[in-house]
Amino acid sequence: MNYEQTLQEKVALCLTLQGAKETFPFDNKMHALTIGGKIFALIHMYHGDLFVSVKCQPEKIDQLRDEYQSIIPGYHLNKKHWITLVINEKYDVEPKIEMALIQNSYQLIFDKLPKKAQYTVKFSTND
């Protein structure tokens, strides 16, 4: 599996969401996907695996972790609100579920934005 290509595909997937932007606030290897200046996904390589971290409702986290071995507590994040998908040869999360988790994270962050920022996002264009 070409993890660099997969990383770029995951970033591109996130960038299809309205108003999503890619930033590098930590270093040039940690891709932070933001909406209204707030992070909804972090994507980076770690020890040969690809990590995709997203926000999630606390009540869903245990169920997801029980169902998928590739979902772990948020790596270096608040484990009550974040999960990390570890993409490697044992990855067991279906693409449909993965996209739903990314969209859910995006929506959780969007819903917490001030109304003015939400308005700006709704009428922005992804260039």
Side-chain angles (χ1 to χ4, degrees), residues 17-82:
L17 300 171
Q18 184 69 35
K21 304 230 181 299
E22 180 181 23
T23 64
F24 296 89
F26 308 111
D27 63 28
N28 64 352
K29 294 180 182 177
M30 173 79 68
H31 301 256
L33 288 300
T34 64
I35 179 77
K38 303 289 184 185
I39 296 172
F40 71 89
L42 291 167
I43 304 173
H44 69 285
M45 295 294 299
Y46 183 71
H47 290 301
D49 294 333
L50 179 61
F51 280 32
V52 178
S53 298
V54 293
K55 195 160 189 175
C56 189
Q57 293 88 340
E59 62 273 13
K60 293 182 179 180
I61 290 176
D62 286 339
Q63 177 187 355
L64 287 166
R65 288 182 52 216
D66 288 345
E67 191 167 344
Y68 300 101
Q69 76 173 22
S70 299
I71 296 179
I72 63 171
Y75 179 74
H76 283 293
L77 296 162
N78 182 329
K79 287 153 184 37
K80 181 178 179 186
H81 296 281
W82 289 82

